[in-house]
Amino acid sequence: MTTDHTTTTNLKATDGDTVLLTGESPLLGPEVRALGLPQPFPPHAVPRGARPTTVPGRHMPRLSHAERNRRWDALRKRMLMADVDVLVFLGNDIYWDMGLANLRYVTGVGAKMGSHALFFLDAEPVLYNAVAHMSRPFHHQESVQDWVTDIRIGHGVVELAAELRDRGLGHSRIGLVGFNSTIQTTPTFLDGELRGLETALPNAKFVDFSHVLQHMRMVKSEEEIDLMRRAAGIARKVVDTLVTASRPGATEAEVYAQMVQTQIAEGGEPNIFNLLASGPVEHPTEELWHLLHGTDQPSTPTTRPLAEGDLVITEFHTKFGGYLVHTEYTVHVGPRVPAQLRKIWDVSLECLDASREAFRPGVTLREAWEAIRRPSERAGLDFVELGFHAMGLASPEFPTVIYRPGYGSSALDGSRIGDLVLEEGMAFGNNIDLHDPSWKPDVGCMLADFMVVREGGAELLVNTPRELGIGGV
């Protein structure tokens, strides 16, 4: 079933050489109309036959209809097997917009301004997005994507419920899709939206379907990996920017801003995930610095100027076409690098190489994390994180192992998943955050590439420099 873009988002009324657009879908049924929702905006004239421009979409990444159809077919099969009649996607921008991951996976749209969707077994989805003043003369999503054509200005879950009643689904078994991950382990449904659906559809049965989408996203297609390669290419340029910008006198804020500027200027989506920290390697022993792992926003960046002998460490994400790639790197400001720091870096490289060797189909997760940690154990080093976390439209995805068994969180320490095997097309960011407690308890190195599980060893996407970064030279 296909629908003309211009008829899904605007009613048209004849007036000579023009048509009048109202922003109201002509596909609204009686239940939706009975809600008495306000018309988005007064009718306004546009030339007859005018269509939304497609120029912006030519300059944005897109996945093919074949990829869309693969996902829709797989999802509908899972719905049938679970006896679910329709899916309600409740998107939000929680956790760096990752609350939109499942909705974006199915619709191709990750717009932050209030996205919901209905996904049917036997009809095209309906996407609810944006507000009236952002939708005149048409929804901009009609210019930048072609997966979904029925795009409507959203009025909340009461409108979704009325649409389901109009389609005879008021007594159905409804799958709810929010977002969850190995950090956000509870599906992120807003209580008000759930209560609104239950009130408007008292005869429906609701089931959580979020985990099904998380499982579908676990193994990436080659089209998805291509987008990740683009994100990784941007990440490599960000690393170069980090090294160049880390000079004496530059502030954390200036370094941070240049990294973000590189991401966006190179075509990445605005995604300000940069866990950066800096400070002097040599400092009073009674003064602890946070130089084992980067820090969260808004604690970073600060306006502290960098100085000779400082360390700059970071974990950052780049995003292209919705797909995230993870990179970690370490820069020493000035060429006089302490020998103990170089030792930590060298062992970090050994762990990285062990990751590349371990990420092969058929290797168990336990075999992988034990191999990755072996160089650190031999060298007598400790770690904050040492393992890997899956990534794609969100981070961290399943499976993720970064902590020692029994520590941190059972969702992140390998609990119950050690015997699971890696599959070709899984994609992981490394987490190699080492330090030497016999030297300093608060100074270490961060290092990561981004790896795709392949026969014969992982494919590295970022190609993070194997040399410790030297800033200020």
Side-chain angles (χ1 to χ4, degrees):
M1 171 177 148
T2 58
T3 313
D4 188 295
H5 280 237
T6 58
T7 63
T8 60
T9 57
N10 294 285
L11 286 175
K12 299 192 291 185
T14 303
D15 182 20
D17 293 330
T18 64
V19 293
L20 297 178
L21 304 185
T22 67
E24 189 175 66
S25 171
L27 304 178
L28 302 184
E31 290 278 354
V32 177
R33 293 192 179 280
L35 296 176
L37 300 171
Q39 186 171 296
F41 37 72
H44 61 280
V46 299
R48 183 182 300 280
R51 296 290 187 272
T53 179
T54 60
V55 172
R58 299 175 205 161
H59 301 276
M60 295 183 68
R62 289 191 188 187
L63 292 166
S64 70
H65 280 199
E67 177 70 10
R68 178 199 67 180
N69 296 342
R70 179 187 73 83
R71 297 179 186 185
W72 288 8
D73 179 67
L75 184 54
R76 284 171 173 146
K77 288 171 180 172
R78 286 163 171 78
M79 291 168 64
L80 288 166
M81 292 175 70
D83 194 27
V84 166
D85 304 302
V86 63
L87 298 180
V88 176
F89 285 79
L90 301 174
N92 57 64
D93 64 352
I94 191 172
Y95 206 73
W96 285 277
D97 302 343
M98 295 179 201
L100 296 165
N102 288 326
L103 188 148
R104 189 166 191 171
Y105 185 77
V106 171
T107 67
V109 176
K112 293 168 62 173
M113 194 171 286
S115 292
H116 293 152
L118 300 175
F119 186 82
F120 306 98
L121 284 170
D122 55 358
E124 288 196 3
V126 179
L127 175 69
Y128 298 86
N129 174 253
V131 292
H133 67 275
M134 296 285 286
S135 307
R136 180 172 176 172
F138 62 90
H139 287 280
H140 192 248
Q141 288 297 329
E142 296 179 41
S143 282
V144 299
Q145 63 83 43
D146 59 1
W147 278 23
V148 178
T149 58
D150 192 348
I151 307 174
R152 308 182 190 182
I153 296 168
H155 296 89
V157 296
V158 66
E159 183 180 17
L160 276 65
E163 180 69 25
L164 293 178
R165 292 196 301 271
D166 275 327
R167 294 179 183 243
L169 294 168
H171 291 70
S172 62
R173 183 174 164 89
I174 298 173
L176 298 176
V177 182
F179 167 73
N180 61 305
S181 74
T182 49
I183 287 181
Q184 300 290 329
T185 53
T186 301
T188 56
F189 297 116
L190 299 179
D191 182 69
E193 291 184 338
L194 292 183
R195 291 180 183 274
L197 285 172
E198 291 167 352
T199 300
L201 298 168
N203 298 309
K205 179 175 177 57
F206 296 96
V207 297
D208 181 11
F209 214 70
S210 305
H211 64 282
V212 176
L213 273 296
Q214 191 176 16
H215 182 260
M216 287 179 63
R217 295 184 0 244
M218 187 168 61
V219 176
K220 276 61 178 178
S221 70
E222 290 302 321
E223 281 198 45
E224 292 176 282
I225 293 168
D226 281 342
L227 292 182
M228 292 172 131
R229 286 195 190 96
R230 294 288 300 276
I234 295 170
R236 184 62 181 81
K237 294 180 179 180
V238 174
V239 170
D240 292 340
T241 296
L242 167 64
V243 175
T244 302
S246 296
R247 63 189 186 280
T251 66
E252 274 189 1
E254 289 171 334
V255 174
Y256 196 103
Q258 289 182 52
M259 294 174 71
V260 172
Q261 194 273 344
T262 298
Q263 289 187 39
I264 297 173
E266 292 293 333
E269 292 183 20
N271 181 69
I272 316 305
F273 184 105
N274 187 351
L275 310 183
L276 183 143
S278 72
V281 172
E282 300 300 336
H283 52 267
T285 57
E286 65 272 15
E287 182 179 80
L288 290 175
W289 281 75
H290 199 283
L291 295 174
L292 302 179
H293 193 284
T295 59
D296 195 1
Q297 297 142 11
S299 299
T300 185
T302 73
T303 56
R304 188 188 77 85
L306 301 181
E308 184 94 11
D310 272 5
L311 194 69
V312 184
I313 55 176
T314 181
E315 171 186 342
F316 66 90
H317 294 173
T318 46
K319 189 175 187 180
F320 187 82
Y323 283 84
L324 298 164
V325 162
H326 161 106
T327 310
E328 296 185 10
Y329 195 56
T330 301
V331 176
H332 185 270
V333 181
R336 292 188 291 274
V337 181
Q340 297 94 329
L341 191 67
R342 287 199 180 275
K343 172 189 172 184
I344 297 171
W345 178 260
D346 290 343
V347 177
S348 299
L349 278 177
E350 292 182 48
C351 294
L352 186 73
D353 291 339
S355 299
R356 184 175 190 173
E357 174 61 26
F359 285 150
R360 292 176 287 112
V363 173
T364 68
L365 297 185
R366 183 179 293 103
E367 289 170 337
W369 81 60
E370 287 179 350
I372 291 165
R373 292 173 180 173
R374 204 164 289 131
S376 173
E377 293 167 353
R378 284 197 304 262
L381 301 187
D382 197 359
F383 63 84
V384 175
E385 296 178 279
L386 185 51
F388 44 85
H389 68 263
M391 291 184 69
L393 287 169
S395 172
E397 295 182 340
F398 181 86
T400 288
V401 183
I402 56 175
Y403 299 146
R404 299 181 190 277
Y407 289 91
S409 164
S410 60
L412 300 169
D413 69 355
S415 178
R416 300 187 297 173
I417 64 173
D419 293 329
L420 301 184
V421 299
L422 296 170
E423 300 177 53
E424 177 136 8
M426 286 182 168
F428 296 94
N430 310 111
N431 298 94
I432 304 171
D433 310 325
L434 304 184
H435 64 281
D436 184 350
S438 68
W439 175 50
K440 292 180 182 294
D442 58 349
V443 177
C445 290
M446 299 182 70
L447 174 65
D449 209 297
F450 193 84
M451 300 188 179
V452 180
V453 175
R454 298 294 196 192
E455 291 287 351
E459 175 187 358
L460 274 61
L461 299 191
V462 177
N463 291 307
T464 307
R466 294 179 63 84
E467 300 80 22
L468 180 73
I470 304 298
V473 296

